[in-house]
Amino acid sequence: MKENKEIKMVLLKKDNIQSSYPNQQDKNHCIIDYSNKSREKDQTNLVEMDPFEKYSKIDRKKIFEKQIKIEYRDKSEDKNAIGVSQKKQKFEWGQYKKLLDYVLREKWLVFIIYTPFIISTASQALIPYMVGKLLNEVTKVDSESNVKSTSLILLGLIFITCFFGFFRALYTNLLGSKVYMYLKRDIFNKFIGYDVAFFEKYKTGDLMSRLSRDVQTVKALVSFNSNMLLRNFLLCVFNIIMLFVLSWKVTLSIIPIIPSYYFVTKYYSFKSKQIEKKISDINAASSELAEEVFSGIMTVKSFGQEEYEKQRFEKILQDEFIENKWSGVLNAIFFTVSNYFLSNIGILIVLWYGGYVVVNNLDDLSSGDLASFILYTTSLASNSSSISYGLGAIISATGALERIFEMMEYNPTIKNDSGQEVANITGSVKFKNVVFSYPSSQVQVLNGISLSISPGDCIAFVGTSGSGKSTIIKLIERFYDATAGKVKLDNLNVKDIKISSLRKHIGLVSQEPMLFSGSIIDNIVYGVEKYSIEEVDKACAMAGVDEFLKDRTLFPKGYDTIVGERGTKLSGGQKQRVAIARALIKHPQILIFDEATSALDAESEYLVQQSIDSLIQNRTMTIIVIAHRLSTIKNCSKIIVMQQGKIVESGTHNELISMDGSYKALVERQLSHKI
Ligand SMILES: Nc1ncnc2c1ncn2[C@@H]1O[C@H](COP(=O)(O)OP(=O)(O)OP(=O)(O)O)[C@@H](O)[C@H]1O
């Protein structure tokens, strides 16, 4: 690890910084991932830079005061180090083959789209030609009947273009919406089935982007961009043919304009993509800040930090404004050059040289043909610039597809569909020499845990913070697999039990109860297919929900009271009691309380504690508790004391007190602090 004094010596191109983030285990240790490839190639292009300018959450003041250590990681050779979103995007056929599978689920629609597509494109291509023909007729004397018939043909072409164009647009949008629905459904269904490690590997923001922005990009590709690209390409080819047919001499005179159009548009889309990327990064930073501030509004207010947060937001807004300003400048330049300058210059050349050709009879070109020629020229210009737009859209869609399919092809270590169904269990749990490290870290969190819990036991885990108590629960629930050793339920290795079957027998009440928006009863019967109202009443009575629901002035709708988003309309204690009722209605053989009262105030803690204590005393299932309350711990058949991933003591309350060890110290500390 390099010390901060080196920070100013780091010479890196801005684009070479991949990410900078604090180490999860140690906030005073920060990691900067960078790619060093271009260092050898182009030393002159390197600049001394501040690697933290990307609005990372790292406290910059602390960095420069050298309170934080910086570790640089050269990721040049590490292909997986760069998130897909940061890879250079290019066309990849493999991704499109996967997308094609989705598109071809609607074979008939694809077939239907291409019929109106071909007809509308062909008729549109003929319109400029017929305009020229009409002009020729108009300029002829005594040719009224031809004017009429030519006008009718032109009208017919316009009608055909509109009619079939409408159906083309309608069906391509329908196809795009269907692919969008299939893809979004598959993404959600895949994600929800993945193991917990997946949700640690990818940030929630990334998952949300796959489901929103990326699928939207793919939808735009299917419903619009791919179709338009093909249409523009066909029109370009047709325009060029028509220009040569009308007059190869005048065509040669405007040839230099066509590539100019193409290159101006290409440069514009390249530059605007760069600016868009910056704007989108800044935008993400502002959303992140707003989300953080609004979700932690109590803390912000209690520390009186409203002004500070306003300033942080203002700084981001200013940066966003500058980038938006540049985007505006770029747009103004582009539209002036392409729409005003190049197109008008093109028309001028055609009229000037074409007029000269017509007047001097240098080619077989009439004034009507000249009008067709101008229309084909402008059509060619706009179609060729649309092609480079379309190509840009395809490249962005490639990136989106790559990100989507990378996550959809994630291979979870814990699979939902393997293992056997277990209809009934007695509720015994065994750990045999269990060793465990979290997938995201090398640190060994459990070091050879062996324990045995008999059916109907009440076991309490106590110990210092970070000693591994909650980790044990996660292994019983099989959120993770033990790195070594065995976790057994009723003498069956949990790895051999089907996940849904395993979790059906376990009721978990965690520290922060997660309620879903909906009514109280919706939350209680969450995940239960069949229930009777008597069962709900019984679970509510055992959990103490009936205690607060009795108050009809506060809860006039009883079970049907809407709890609000994440249960915000209920107090912490009320939410926790609903969570207990939710665990009980499953009739679990193993009931787990993981610090169920620690996030509550004293009054709520007392009420929830009463429910837990009575459940323990009248228990009909195995109960596992992580708690610091002496009353709860005392009533358990066994207390396991943990320290640094190891069991250091175990026994009943009285046995442990007589051992005069860690447990006794813990109890004394608790009594002296009246915890
Ligand atoms: N998802 C995770 N990824 C990496 N490390 C983790 C993860 N969750 C917990 N840890 C680490 O595992 C260790 C044990 O954590 P655990 O939550 O089991 O402790 P605990 O005894 O329940 O603590 P507390 O009483 O404070 O809740 C801690 O050092 C913690 O930093």
Side-chain angles (χ1 to χ4, degrees):
M1 191 188 300
K2 297 178 184 179
E3 292 290 339
N4 291 16
K5 56 180 182 260
E6 292 184 37
I7 192 169
K8 286 183 184 156
M9 292 162 57
V10 179
L11 292 174
L12 289 168
K13 276 169 81 173
K14 270 187 196 179
D15 291 347
N16 289 353
I17 296 287
Q18 288 168 6
S19 51
S20 50
Y21 49 91
N23 184 337
Q24 283 193 342
Q25 258 93 50
D26 178 4
K27 282 185 191 155
N28 292 331
H29 171 192
C30 151
I31 297 156
I32 299 170
D33 291 338
Y34 69 98
S35 156
N36 204 17
K37 271 189 178 157
S38 57
R39 271 179 106 168
E40 293 108 49
K41 287 189 211 142
D42 185 7
Q43 286 286 344
T44 52
N45 211 2
L46 302 177
V47 287
E48 192 168 302
M49 67 157 297
D50 167 9
F52 302 95
E53 68 175 18
K54 291 191 175 179
Y55 308 99
S56 82
K57 284 184 177 173
I58 301 157
D59 186 339
R60 294 155 60 109
K61 202 166 148 242
K62 274 191 177 174
I63 293 162
F64 292 106
E65 283 172 1
K66 299 181 185 173
Q67 294 174 26
I68 291 183
K69 287 185 177 179
I70 312 295
E71 179 183 355
Y72 293 95
R73 290 182 181 169
D74 185 350
K75 297 271 176 172
S76 314
E77 303 309 322
D78 183 357
K79 282 193 190 133
N80 298 322
I82 312 175
V84 256
S85 54
Q86 288 165 314
K87 278 186 198 167
K88 191 169 181 337
Q89 291 173 356
K90 55 184 189 319
F91 183 84
E92 277 185 29
W93 177 234
Q95 307 299 342
Y96 284 91
K97 272 208 316 227
K98 292 174 201 159
L99 176 63
L100 206 60
D101 288 344
Y102 281 91
V103 173
L104 291 181
R105 287 193 200 176
E106 293 296 329
K107 283 194 194 73
W108 272 107
L109 206 47
V110 175
F111 178 74
I112 290 171
I113 285 167
Y114 280 95
T115 312
F117 171 83
I118 291 165
I119 298 173
S120 65
T121 310
S123 60
Q124 179 165 13
L126 288 172
I127 287 177
Y129 178 75
M130 285 315 295
V131 170
K133 281 274 159 260
L134 184 60
L135 271 175
N136 279 340
E137 295 302 326
V138 170
T139 48
K140 274 188 211 163
V141 200
D142 299 334
S143 61
E144 205 194 323
S145 64
N146 277 350
V147 170
K148 246 190 207 166
S149 57
T150 319
S151 302
L152 280 176
I153 295 175
L154 187 58
L155 188 68
L157 281 178
I158 294 171
F159 175 77
I160 290 172
T161 309
C162 294
F163 183 79
F164 287 98
F166 168 79
F167 284 103
R168 177 194 57 79
L170 188 72
Y171 289 127
T172 44
N173 272 301
L174 190 63
L175 180 66
S177 304
K178 289 223 166 183
V179 169
Y180 173 83
M181 180 176 75
Y182 297 146
L183 200 55
K184 206 164 171 171
R185 179 194 293 148
D186 280 5
I187 295 174
F188 187 82
N189 290 354
K190 283 249 174 193
F191 286 5
I192 207 166
Y194 286 152
D195 55 9
V196 177
F198 172 81
F199 296 92
E200 283 181 3
K201 183 172 176 192
Y202 297 106
K203 288 187 263 171
T204 315
D206 286 338
L207 308 185
M208 301 311 287
S209 285
R210 293 312 82 87
L211 271 172
S212 51
R213 211 183 55 195
D214 288 341
V215 265
Q216 202 67 47
T217 309
V218 176
K219 179 181 178 229
L221 175 77
V222 176
S223 59
F224 184 73
N225 291 320
S226 57
N227 210 266
M228 289 314 269
L229 187 68
L230 184 59
R231 180 176 165 275
N232 291 327
F233 176 75
L234 292 176
L235 283 176
C236 271
V237 172
F238 190 79
N239 290 341
I240 292 170
I241 293 170
M242 285 310 286
L243 287 175
F244 276 100
V245 168
L246 287 166
S247 169
W248 64 270
K249 282 182 186 159
V250 187
T251 304
L252 290 182
S253 72
I254 51 145
I255 285 283
I257 296 283
I258 299 163
S260 321
Y261 247 108
Y262 178 80
F263 287 116
V264 165
T265 316
K266 197 168 166 56
Y267 181 74
Y268 166 74
S269 51
F270 167 72
K271 273 283 164 204
S272 69
K273 226 182 288 161
Q274 276 186 335
I275 296 181
E276 286 310 317
K277 166 89 181 66
K278 281 190 191 164
I279 293 176
S280 129
D281 282 353
I282 300 174
N283 208 294
S286 70
S287 312
E288 201 177 300
L289 178 75
E291 195 191 312
E292 200 173 80
V293 169
F294 295 146
S295 57
I297 193 70
M298 304 276 198
T299 314
V300 174
K301 285 194 178 295
S302 64
F303 283 85
Q305 288 299 289
E306 290 95 330
E307 276 310 312
Y308 169 71
E309 298 300 350
K310 275 188 205 166
Q311 280 166 18
R312 285 213 297 164
F313 199 70
E314 181 61 30
K315 158 94 181 66
I316 298 177
L317 274 188
Q318 287 302 328
D319 289 352
E320 195 172 13
F321 173 71
I322 291 169
E323 294 304 333
N324 277 327
K325 206 167 68 180
W326 281 118
S327 168
V329 170
L330 189 70
N331 282 338
I333 295 174
F334 173 71
F335 283 108
T336 310
V337 172
S338 78
N339 285 15
Y340 302 139
F341 182 72
L342 285 177
S343 63
N344 288 327
I345 287 287
I347 290 169
L348 180 68
I349 293 173
V350 172
L351 279 175
W352 190 0
Y353 184 62
Y356 175 77
V357 169
V358 172
V359 170
N360 295 295
N361 234 346
L362 295 178
D363 206 350
D364 188 14
L365 190 72
S366 64
S367 47
D369 293 343
L370 194 58
S372 301
F373 201 96
I374 292 172
L375 290 177
Y376 278 122
T377 312
T378 45
S379 163
L380 179 61
S382 75
N383 284 314
S384 60
S385 69
S386 302
I387 284 181
S388 79
Y389 259 135
L391 288 175
I394 290 212
I395 302 277
S396 318
T398 309
L401 286 170
E402 219 174 21
R403 289 188 290 269
I404 289 172
F405 290 126
E406 184 204 86
M407 287 195 185
M408 286 177 80
E409 281 154 17
Y410 170 82
N411 189 14
T413 28
I414 299 176
K415 301 206 166 42
N416 287 337
D417 43 10
S418 61
Q420 66 182 87
E421 292 272 359
V422 179
N424 297 304
I425 62 158
T426 58
S428 83
V429 179
K430 278 198 183 80
F431 275 55
K432 273 193 180 170
N433 290 323
V434 171
V435 174
F436 179 70
S437 308
Y438 279 96
S440 59
S441 119
Q442 303 300 316
V443 184
Q444 210 160 289
V445 173
L446 298 180
N447 306 307
I449 298 285
S450 292
L451 59 89
S452 176
I453 304 172
S454 305
D457 266 1
C458 172
I459 300 289
F461 285 93
V462 295
T464 47
S465 175
S467 56
K469 304 182 292 290
S470 300
T471 306
I472 291 209
I473 305 300
K474 290 177 194 165
L475 295 190
I476 297 175
E477 280 261 18
R478 207 175 165 221
F479 289 143
Y480 301 94
D481 275 337
T483 317
K486 282 183 185 150
V487 178
K488 288 184 162 186
L489 199 77
D490 272 20
N491 274 330
L492 275 173
N493 192 324
V494 284
K495 287 185 185 176
D496 300 327
I497 305 176
K498 199 170 177 183
I499 290 286
S500 54
S501 179
L502 168 80
R503 292 183 189 152
K504 202 170 68 189
H505 298 299
I506 303 174
L508 175 66
V509 183
S510 50
Q511 188 173 350
E512 301 273 351
M514 170 67 201
L515 297 197
F516 299 95
S517 46
S519 65
I520 288 182
I521 191 149
D522 290 341
N523 274 285
I524 291 174
V525 299
Y526 183 73
V528 182
E529 276 164 30
K530 284 187 195 147
Y531 64 89
S532 64
I533 199 68
E534 290 74 31
E535 284 175 288
V536 176
D537 287 340
K538 194 171 167 207
C540 287
M542 285 160 84
V545 174
D546 57 349
E547 280 289 315
F548 68 86
L549 277 195
K550 270 193 313 216
D551 188 342
R552 287 287 151 167
T553 46
L554 283 175
F555 297 96
K557 291 188 177 169
Y559 286 144
D560 294 323
T561 306
I562 299 296
V563 300
E565 196 187 348
R566 290 167 176 262
T568 40
K569 291 185 183 167
L570 298 186
S571 75
Q574 289 164 346
K575 272 195 278 187
Q576 196 59 288
R577 281 177 279 172
V578 171
I580 296 174
R582 179 170 64 187
L584 288 174
I585 204 160
K586 282 170 78 179
H587 302 297
Q589 271 319 103
I590 300 173
L591 182 61
I592 300 173
F593 295 99
D594 185 359
E595 306 266 17
T597 58
S598 61
L600 304 178
D601 57 53
E603 172 66 12
S604 307
E605 182 182 2
Y606 171 73
L607 292 168
V608 175
Q609 196 61 53
Q610 274 194 324
S611 309
I612 298 176
D613 288 345
S614 100
L615 277 167
I616 290 174
Q617 266 157 28
N618 310 310
R619 67 182 176 271
T620 52
M621 72 284 270
T622 307
I623 295 188
I624 300 174
V625 209
I626 300 178
H628 58 268
R629 272 232 154 223
L630 206 52
S631 65
T632 316
I633 303 166
K634 253 169 117 174
N635 291 331
C636 284
S637 35
K638 196 187 213 174
I639 299 164
I640 295 177
V641 188
M642 294 194 62
Q643 249 171 35
Q644 295 179 332
K646 286 195 176 121
I647 296 176
V648 287
E649 286 170 17
S650 71
T652 61
H653 171 76
N654 291 336
E655 283 165 2
L656 291 175
I657 291 287
S658 62
M659 272 185 202
D660 204 11
S662 311
Y663 179 75
K664 192 176 174 199
L666 193 86
V667 170
E668 278 169 359
R669 222 173 29 243
Q670 207 176 97
L671 290 176
S672 66
H673 288 92
K674 295 197 172 54
I675 304 172

